[in-house]
Amino acid sequence: MKKIISLAVMFLFAGSICFAQVKNYKAEGSEDIPSNKTQDEVVSSLTERLTKEAIESSGIKLRPYKLSKDEYNEFVKSNTNIEIKNKKIFFKKGRVQCSYVRLFVQMDADEAKKYLDNLKAAKEAKKEKENADTKVQQEVQATKSVEKAEKTVTPTVSEILDTPPAEAKSVEGKKDKKADKKAKKEAEKKAKKEAKEKTKEKKSADSKTNAAPATDNKIKTEKPENVTSSVVVSEVNVFKNNMSIDQALEESYKVKQETKGLLDNFDKTLEESKSLDTKAKISETAVSIIKPKIEYLKFFQTERFADENADKAKVLSVGPIKEDAEYFIIKIIYLYTKEQPVMSNIIYDISDIDLEQAKLLHDTPNNFVIDPLFSVEEDETGNVQRVLTAFNVKHTELMKEQTVKVSTKVKPFSEIKRFEVYENILNNKQENKK
């Protein structure tokens, strides 16, 4: 009963803030009429300028929204009523013809700002989808590159530390050429033997895992001296979002702990190193080994996962639809933690269907099934937790489905920040070479 009363109060509060607060915003001004323009052209441009001034006098700044001409015209058409109080043509001194306009813009500033915020969110969501598509293509290309890299052998940390510095190399260059040639042959023979053994081990591991996902390949957490980059080669970054949020939480925690162990080992080795050149080589090895793990952690923070046991969001109301619009707004409420309700305006995209289908969707709001989607973030104690980042909106009659982003900041894993230290060392080395 207490819960029902709380919801009722909340609905009353939501309704109380929905009453329109329409106000008049005044603007007036004049503009000279040049010989290459007609009176109507100048009056039209002056009216448009004064309309923007009147809108911005309400406190709404249009520039940050980066509206196209069509988007601006649709915004004005949907949210304002322009009343021209006075319009005249007169002559200034010197017989210069001039136009004068005084107008009022009737507008609910709060609703107008919501409209612009929703439009901006829709554009960002579209851009994010395009970036995601690009990322998928890049990951496919990266997979091919990793497969090609399997044929190469990268030295271990211990091998890097055993590599003599530049000064020693210059001295070695003066040694007998015959001895160098012999040593080179022995090294090549040894490298070929190691490469064959590692290829054999990899084939055996692949047959056991039976093409399992990348994260099923365990990376040992020994000291980095005993870890070679051939381990990383077997970790192909092809992330598939076919898991629930509970599975994502479990998997991300496992990857987070593995990454933490690797970073702890590399941090200790880096701290004990004195030479900048040695630090750069350690960082190069660390990046090649840990980066697949970091990419996987980022995947859990940017991807969205469903929860079959989560409550559905409820539709409160549906906004109007116009023939030249590409979406309509669905106001929803969702009980995120059973106690904390989330109210949100969802921009439902209808740009890919015809008007008749759009009207059918709009007129049957009870057929919408709205599921929450979650990402994974790090909590205050360093553990993982879910965070609401989107809604999956499906219409059961037309079977139209789309994902709508919720504006939420996901707290990044601390391992990602730690990993950036090694990338920065490596990048600084490359910059110094230039």
Side-chain angles (χ1 to χ4, degrees), residues 376-388:
V376 182
E377 69 174 3
E378 184 174 284
D379 64 15
E380 298 299 327
T381 64
N383 290 318
V384 296
Q385 65 181 11
R386 67 176 64 192
V387 55
L388 179 68

Side-chain angles (χ1 to χ4, degrees), residues 212-234:
T215 53
D216 291 339
N217 297 324
K218 300 288 191 302
I219 287 186
K220 298 179 181 179
T221 55
E222 305 101 304
K223 291 183 179 180
E225 284 82 356
N226 299 323
V227 182
T228 68
S229 62
S230 60
V231 178
V232 184
V233 170
S234 65

Side-chain angles (χ1 to χ4, degrees), residues 161-416:
L161 295 178
D162 291 337
T163 302
E167 295 82 359
K169 287 184 179 179
S170 64
V171 174
E172 290 173 1
K174 299 176 182 179
K175 290 183 179 180
D176 185 74
K177 291 183 179 180
K178 196 171 182 179
D180 287 346
K181 189 175 182 181
K182 182 179 179 180
K184 184 178 180 182
K185 284 184 178 180
E186 290 178 355
E188 289 176 353
K189 187 177 180 181
K190 183 180 178 182
K192 287 180 180 179
K193 185 178 179 181
E194 290 179 353
K196 285 182 180 180
E197 290 176 355
K198 289 171 183 176
T199 302
K200 187 176 179 180
E201 290 174 1
K202 180 186 178 302
K203 287 182 178 179
S204 175
D206 288 345
S207 63
K208 290 179 181 179
T209 56
N210 192 24
T215 53
D216 291 339
N217 297 324
K218 300 288 191 302
I219 287 186
K220 298 179 181 179
T221 55
E222 305 101 304
K223 291 183 179 180
E225 284 82 356
N226 299 323
V227 182
T228 68
S229 62
S230 60
V231 178
V232 184
V233 170
S234 65
E235 280 199 89
V236 180
N237 273 329
V238 180
F239 308 140
K240 296 181 180 179
N241 184 9
N242 56 357
M243 60 180 78
S244 67
I245 181 59
D246 289 333
Q247 291 172 322
L249 287 167
E250 182 180 353
E251 181 70 11
S252 62
Y253 180 76
K254 180 182 71 174
V255 177
K256 189 176 187 296
Q257 293 303 108
E258 291 174 353
T259 307
K260 181 180 181 298
L262 287 169
L263 284 166
D264 288 344
N265 287 333
F266 273 107
D267 285 352
K268 184 177 179 181
T269 306
L270 190 69
E271 186 179 351
E272 294 172 351
S273 303
K274 306 298 182 184
S275 167
L276 292 177
D277 187 57
T278 303
K279 288 180 182 289
K281 289 179 179 179
I282 292 172
S283 297
E284 185 175 4
T285 304
V287 168
S288 67
I289 291 175
I290 303 176
K291 191 166 186 176
K293 293 284 185 186
I294 296 298
E295 293 301 318
Y296 203 18
L297 289 177
K298 290 179 179 178
F299 164 77
F300 289 111
Q301 303 214 282
T302 57
E303 196 57 52
R304 301 176 182 91
F305 307 91
D307 183 353
E308 293 181 358
N309 299 319
D311 293 336
K312 312 288 184 186
K314 305 295 182 183
V315 177
L316 297 179
S317 62
V318 179
I321 178 176
K322 299 179 181 179
E323 292 186 13
D324 54 351
E326 296 186 342
Y327 63 88
F328 58 83
I329 294 175
I330 306 174
K331 178 174 275 190
I332 66 166
I333 183 170
Y334 171 62
L335 295 178
Y336 184 20
T337 61
K338 304 296 182 183
E339 299 176 355
Q340 178 186 1
V342 174
M343 295 185 67
S344 181
N345 289 330
I346 289 180
I347 297 179
Y348 192 77
D349 184 10
I350 54 173
S351 60
D352 59 340
I353 60 176
D354 58 43
L355 183 59
E356 291 302 318
Q357 287 181 310
K359 287 182 177 178
L360 178 59
L361 288 168
H362 178 270
D363 296 340
T364 54
N366 291 334
N367 287 346
F368 281 112
V369 177
I370 305 177
D371 290 300
L373 298 177
F374 307 91
S375 298
V376 182
E377 69 174 3
E378 184 174 284
D379 64 15
E380 298 299 327
T381 64
N383 290 318
V384 296
Q385 65 181 11
R386 67 176 64 192
V387 55
L388 179 68
T389 53
F391 287 101
N392 184 67
V393 185
K394 182 177 181 181
H395 194 276
T396 57
E397 186 168 344
L398 292 184
M399 301 305 291
K400 178 174 168 58
E401 189 171 357
Q402 61 183 263
T403 299
V404 182
K405 178 183 176 184
V406 175
S407 179
T408 305
K409 183 175 287 187
V410 180
K411 185 178 180 181
F413 296 123
S414 55
E415 287 73 19
I416 295 175

Side-chain angles (χ1 to χ4, degrees), residues 72-86:
Y72 171 76
N73 290 338
E74 177 61 26
F75 163 71
V76 173
K77 183 178 178 182
S78 303
N79 295 273
T80 69
N81 180 37
I82 302 171
E83 184 178 356
I84 297 178
K85 290 293 186 179
N86 193 359

Side-chain angles (χ1 to χ4, degrees), residues 1-179:
M1 185 65 184
K2 187 177 180 180
K3 183 177 179 181
I4 295 174
I5 294 173
S6 299
L7 283 173
V9 172
M10 183 180 60
F11 285 134
L12 288 172
F13 175 76
S16 67
I17 63 174
C18 292
F19 291 109
Q21 298 292 326
V22 178
K23 295 182 180 179
N24 287 330
Y25 300 94
K26 174 186 173 183
E28 61 180 329
S30 60
E31 187 174 325
D32 293 346
I33 302 175
S35 58
N36 61 342
K37 288 187 178 182
T38 65
Q39 293 180 3
D40 290 340
E41 288 176 334
V42 174
V43 169
S44 177
S45 65
L46 178 59
T47 301
E48 183 177 344
R49 175 169 64 83
L50 294 175
T51 300
K52 288 183 178 179
E53 290 179 4
I55 291 172
E56 294 198 335
S57 69
S58 70
I60 296 175
K61 301 302 179 185
L62 296 173
R63 184 181 293 274
Y65 293 100
K66 299 178 181 179
L67 300 177
S68 66
K69 185 175 181 180
D70 289 341
E71 288 171 343
Y72 171 76
N73 290 338
E74 177 61 26
F75 163 71
V76 173
K77 183 178 178 182
S78 303
N79 295 273
T80 69
N81 180 37
I82 302 171
E83 184 178 356
I84 297 178
K85 290 293 186 179
N86 193 359
K87 180 174 64 175
K88 63 182 179 179
I89 306 296
F90 63 95
F91 286 95
K92 298 196 304 184
K93 290 182 179 180
R95 303 300 294 171
V96 176
Q97 199 173 27
C98 186
S99 64
Y100 169 82
V101 173
R102 182 165 63 93
L103 56 78
F104 286 96
V105 173
Q106 297 176 339
M107 178 181 68
D108 183 336
D110 292 336
E111 288 299 317
K113 189 175 187 307
K114 286 181 184 177
Y115 179 98
L116 290 171
D117 289 340
N118 289 332
L119 179 60
K120 183 179 180 181
K123 290 165 70 175
E124 289 176 349
K126 184 177 180 181
K127 186 176 180 181
E128 183 180 346
K129 184 179 181 302
E130 292 173 351
N131 291 338
D133 293 340
T134 303
K135 185 177 179 182
V136 170
Q137 295 177 358
Q138 291 173 345
E139 287 175 354
V140 171
Q141 187 62 37
T143 300
K144 294 179 180 178
S145 299
V146 170
E147 290 173 349
K148 185 177 179 181
E150 289 179 356
K151 299 177 182 178
T152 64
V153 179
T154 304
T156 64
V157 173
S158 58
E159 290 171 341
I160 288 173
L161 295 178
D162 291 337
T163 302
E167 295 82 359
K169 287 184 179 179
S170 64
V171 174
E172 290 173 1
K174 299 176 182 179
K175 290 183 179 180
D176 185 74
K177 291 183 179 180
K178 196 171 182 179

